[in-house]
Amino acid sequence: MRRDAYVIRVLEPPRLAAHRREPLLNVPPVITVLAAAMLLIQLVRDWVDVETGIEILALFAFIPARYDPSVLADGVLPGGVAADAWTFITYAFLHGGWAHVGLNLLWMLAFGTPVARRFGVLRFLSFFAFTAAAGAGLHLVTHEGELVPMIGASAAVSGFMAAALRFMFADGGRAWRPGVAEQAVHAPAPPLMDVMRDRRVIGFVVVWFVINLAFGLGEPAGLVDGSIAWQAHMGGFLAGLLAFPLFDPIRRRPGSDSYSRTSRF
């Protein structure tokens, strides 16, 4: 008997059926909507004239000088107080070009997908806004009074990376194998200290920080256009890593060792 035929025979019928039903690419609708919005915005920015493009940046990009009256007087930038608040999030929907938006969407597909399946739509969108704002906040602290606008979803994507680390390595790292990831999405996340003892997590975090520092400080010629807001990336990553329990819908039942999924908001 051939080896592959033997393997198929010994597989349990429910597991084999589930394996056959598993789609090759199953993207959560919220990821699809976010991706479509970012692509549409990039298309509009390519279509409008230069002056309108500048107005869009002035109204929706994150500009640290907006918050420093010694650099810009009130009313110089459009939007007023409302823009002071919404640009902490809206900057994440703007990108410097198709390569920029494409790279962010690829990373969001890879790391945002398990997070979206675990959190649900509203929690996921709230987490997106929170990590984007955290990235903008750290960028503001490190670029006080700067006139250069910051754009891109990298801070939020970095938050998704950190959130995925909180639960995808919960079972000895096996969750990253095909067919096992879905179990990790619904499994309880271990405490942060336990996660950070995993050598794979430590290696990922170290490499991630080194790459961001290298690109942010070195900016290799020909690989990037403009400066990289690496502080925003780190702000989003740290926010996602530390604030994950606030958004995670899986909670331990009082007086029990078991876990349950709370209602999604």
Side-chain angles (χ1 to χ4, degrees), residues 103-104 106-115 124 127 131 153-169 176 195 201 204-205 208-209 212 233 236-238 240-241 244:
L103 186 61
N104 273 337
L106 284 175
W107 286 113
M108 185 168 68
L109 178 65
F111 291 94
T113 293
V115 177
F124 180 82
F127 190 77
T131 51
S154 298
V157 171
S158 298
F160 295 149
M161 291 182 181
L165 289 179
R166 292 295 304 264
F167 63 90
M168 292 299 285
F169 282 103
W176 292 103
V195 173
V201 174
F204 181 94
V205 172
W208 185 88
F209 271 87
N212 274 273
H233 298 183
F237 187 92
L238 292 174
L241 192 68
F244 171 82

Side-chain angles (χ1 to χ4, degrees), residues 95-128:
H95 291 84
W98 291 104
H100 187 199
V101 67
L103 186 61
N104 273 337
L105 291 182
L106 284 175
W107 286 113
M108 185 168 68
L109 178 65
F111 291 94
T113 293
V115 177
R117 289 175 179 160
R118 185 180 182 95
F119 282 2
V121 174
L122 293 182
R123 290 178 188 268
F124 180 82
L125 292 176
S126 299
F127 190 77
F128 176 90

Side-chain angles (χ1 to χ4, degrees), residues 11-18:
L11 281 175
E12 301 166 2
R15 291 181 58 191
L16 182 58

Side-chain angles (χ1 to χ4, degrees), residues 192-248:
L192 178 59
M193 293 305 297
D194 290 349
V195 173
M196 295 308 299
R197 292 191 185 100
D198 191 306
R199 287 178 295 179
R200 284 167 289 239
V201 174
I202 295 173
F204 181 94
V205 172
V206 169
V207 171
W208 185 88
F209 271 87
V210 168
I211 290 176
N212 274 273
L213 285 172
F215 274 79
L217 300 177
E219 298 176 12
L223 295 181
V224 294
D225 295 323
S227 60
I228 294 179
W230 57 273
Q231 296 95 335
H233 298 183
M234 293 185 176
F237 187 92
L238 292 174
L241 192 68
L242 298 175
F244 171 82
L246 300 178
F247 296 87
D248 189 18

Side-chain angles (χ1 to χ4, degrees), residues 55-101:
E55 292 177 358
I56 292 174
L57 286 176
L59 188 58
F60 296 109
F62 187 80
I63 305 175
R66 179 187 286 275
Y67 309 92
D68 190 342
S70 66
V71 177
L72 291 179
D74 290 340
V76 172
L77 290 175
V81 176
D84 291 349
W86 74 49
T87 53
F88 272 87
I89 299 172
T90 56
Y91 80 93
F93 290 87
L94 304 172
H95 291 84
W98 291 104
H100 187 199
V101 67

Side-chain angles (χ1 to χ4, degrees), residues 4-39:
D4 54 353
Y6 174 77
V7 171
I8 291 176
R9 279 193 178 186
V10 298
L11 281 175
E12 301 166 2
R15 291 181 58 191
L16 182 58
H19 176 73
R20 287 174 175 172
R21 290 195 303 268
E22 185 177 353
L24 180 63
L25 184 62
N26 185 14
V27 182
V30 66
I31 297 284
T32 303
V33 171
L34 279 178
M38 293 177 189
L39 291 171

Side-chain angles (χ1 to χ4, degrees), residues 85 92-93 134 148 151 191:
F93 290 87
V148 178
I151 56 177

